[in-house]
Amino acid sequence: MKVKIEIDTKTFVRFWLVVLGFVLAGLMVYSARTALIIIGIAFFLAMALNTPVGKLAKLLPGKSRVGGTAIAFLTVVTIITGFGITVVPPIIEQSARLAQTIPGVVEDISQQWSGLNDFIDNNGLRPQMDSAINSISEQASGWAANAGSTIISSVGSFAAFLTAGLLVLVLSFLMLVEGPVWIQRLWKLYSDKEKMENHKQLVDKMYNVVTGYVVGQLIVSSIGALAAGLVVFILSMVFPEIPSNLSMPTIAITFLLSLIPMFGATIGGALVTLLLAFNNLTAAVVYVIYFVIYQQIENNVISPHVQGKSLELSALTVLASVTIGIYMFGPAGGIIAIPIAGCCKVLLQDYLKRAKTKRQQGSQSVSKLVKKITANNKA
């Protein structure tokens, strides 16, 4: 039996226009992903600074929000500048050390494999092997020497990176200064007071989710970074081969990468371990032991205590959100993915609650109608 479905031209055109609209919207978002990342980072920075800015504004004469924002941003810029001054020289030093170390490591390995050397000599493969070792040594040296420029080029030119940083700071500043005014203007657009109050409550819940996560993640990352830096500093006192200024890059690497949920801290720990291994293998093993123990403490004590239950997202939701964020917008997408998922959860819960209320009201109306009809029939 054949079923024939007829669709009028108007419905057909509307359907494909909607599909085309979604495709164009997706392409626009993808093409503007860099600008969206900058705006997103600025927004989350503004959210993190909103509470201290509000407290500073109350302490200043005239309760100036501009003054509070300026003080907060001056503090942030000072911290960033201090990090740059203390972090960049050790990274350059370690890059130079890495360039000198890798060829020696390759040579030592080639000399220690006596069994492999015998096999190579017996089969006449010595020229090819020596050529391969020299090639690996030269490439490793070149990669190590250019590690800093490789990192910078991966995120664009230095000028573009500096411009993006300035844009983030300026946008965050304007958001903090003008944000309350724009919010008040938004609420004045409502003509239905009940709907306005409902939406206010919804926005407050989303705000609490975002600020709770952002501030909590910053605290957890700061604790982990300071602890890692302290351990590396102690190791530098025990093992003379490790420079004491390596603790500052450790703090920076651990702090930045631990902001990425799920696996960011692990990547940071691996990088720090690699830096230590090129200076002293025993120190690297000690750091690995510390890192494993600390991660257990952080996951079971520090994070639950600091973060509380601000998100209440399942592990699957967190991993899926982080994966989507990283593949769409890079590491910055991974950082903002979880609070966005938390906001989506708030919106979904509100929708389901309103839908349930409507169904209950509809059931009550039907029950009253049935009772009224039954009473009329009895009469």
Side-chain angles (χ1 to χ4, degrees):
M1 180 180 178
K2 293 183 179 181
V3 179
K4 186 178 181 181
I5 300 175
E6 293 185 358
I7 302 175
D8 59 279
T9 305
K10 191 175 182 180
T11 303
F12 180 80
V13 171
R14 282 182 177 178
F15 171 78
W16 285 109
L17 284 176
V18 170
V19 172
L20 181 62
F22 275 109
V23 172
L24 290 176
L27 290 174
M28 290 175 63
V29 169
Y30 182 77
S31 61
R33 61 189 182 280
T34 304
L36 292 175
I37 289 173
I38 292 174
I39 294 172
I41 294 173
F43 175 75
F44 283 102
L45 178 60
M47 296 283 277
L49 293 176
N50 185 53
T51 300
V53 164
K55 292 180 179 179
L56 285 171
K58 291 180 180 178
L59 298 175
L60 294 175
K63 297 182 178 180
S64 172
R65 188 170 178 86
V66 176
T69 306
I71 294 173
F73 267 81
L74 183 62
T75 305
V76 171
V77 172
T78 302
I79 293 173
I80 293 174
T81 304
F83 259 117
I85 293 173
T86 54
V87 168
V88 173
I91 289 179
I92 295 175
E93 179 185 341
Q94 289 302 310
S95 298
R97 182 185 292 269
L98 188 63
Q100 297 172 356
T101 303
I102 288 182
V105 172
V106 174
E107 184 67 24
D108 291 340
I109 293 174
S110 64
Q111 292 177 358
Q112 291 174 6
W113 288 354
S114 57
L116 182 60
N117 286 331
D118 294 339
F119 174 81
I120 292 172
D121 292 334
N122 293 333
N123 291 275
L125 299 176
R126 175 57 58 185
Q128 293 87 340
M129 187 64 185
D130 291 340
S131 176
I133 291 175
N134 292 332
S135 177
I136 293 173
S137 300
E138 292 174 0
Q139 291 179 5
S141 300
W143 175 85
N146 298 322
S149 60
T150 302
I151 293 172
I152 293 175
S153 63
S154 66
V155 294
S157 64
F158 178 75
F161 181 75
L162 182 62
T163 302
L166 291 174
L167 277 173
V168 168
L169 293 177
V170 172
L171 285 170
S172 300
F173 187 91
L174 294 176
M175 288 178 183
L176 286 168
V177 173
E178 300 182 6
V181 177
W182 283 103
I183 291 174
Q184 292 299 323
R185 290 177 180 174
L186 175 64
W187 298 135
K188 288 180 180 179
L189 297 175
Y190 282 81
S191 56
D192 189 342
K193 273 194 172 183
E194 184 179 353
K195 182 181 288 187
M196 182 187 70
E197 291 299 328
N198 290 335
H199 286 180
K200 273 188 176 181
Q201 293 178 2
L202 191 61
V203 170
D204 287 341
K205 289 180 181 178
M206 295 170 65
Y207 173 78
N208 291 333
V209 166
V210 174
T211 53
Y213 174 79
V214 172
V215 175
Q217 191 66 22
L218 288 174
I219 293 173
V220 172
S221 298
S222 299
I223 294 173
L226 292 174
L230 179 61
V231 169
V232 172
F233 180 75
I234 294 173
L235 290 174
S236 69
M237 297 175 66
V238 177
F239 301 97
E241 300 89 348
I242 299 175
S244 58
N245 59 2
L246 189 60
S247 58
M248 293 309 297
T250 298
I251 293 174
I253 291 170
T254 305
F255 177 78
L256 292 174
L257 289 176
S258 61
L259 291 174
I260 303 175
M262 302 296 288
F263 45 79
T266 304
I267 297 174
L271 290 177
V272 174
T273 302
L274 187 62
L275 287 176
L276 291 173
F278 282 112
N279 292 276
N280 187 287
L281 189 59
T282 305
V285 174
V286 173
Y287 184 83
V288 169
I289 295 172
Y290 149 77
F291 181 76
V292 172
I293 296 173
Y294 177 80
Q295 282 301 302
Q296 298 303 315
I297 297 173
E298 180 181 289
N299 295 334
N300 295 288
V301 179
I302 299 176
S303 290
H305 180 72
V306 174
Q307 293 283 16
K309 296 183 177 180
S310 57
L311 291 175
E312 295 183 349
L313 296 174
S314 66
L316 177 61
T317 304
V318 171
L319 182 58
S321 303
V322 172
T323 303
I324 293 171
I326 288 177
Y327 274 92
M328 288 185 66
F329 301 108
I335 294 173
I336 65 177
I338 292 182
I340 291 176
C343 292
C344 292
K345 180 184 177 183
V346 171
L347 292 172
L348 180 60
Q349 287 177 336
D350 179 73
Y351 171 77
L352 294 175
K353 183 179 178 181
R354 287 188 288 106
K356 183 178 179 180
T357 303
K358 287 182 179 180
R359 286 197 301 269
Q360 290 176 347
Q361 291 175 351
S363 300
Q364 291 175 359
S365 300
V366 172
S367 299
K368 289 180 181 179
L369 181 61
V370 171
K371 288 179 181 179
K372 186 176 181 180
I373 294 173
T374 303
N376 291 334
N377 290 335
K378 288 181 180 180

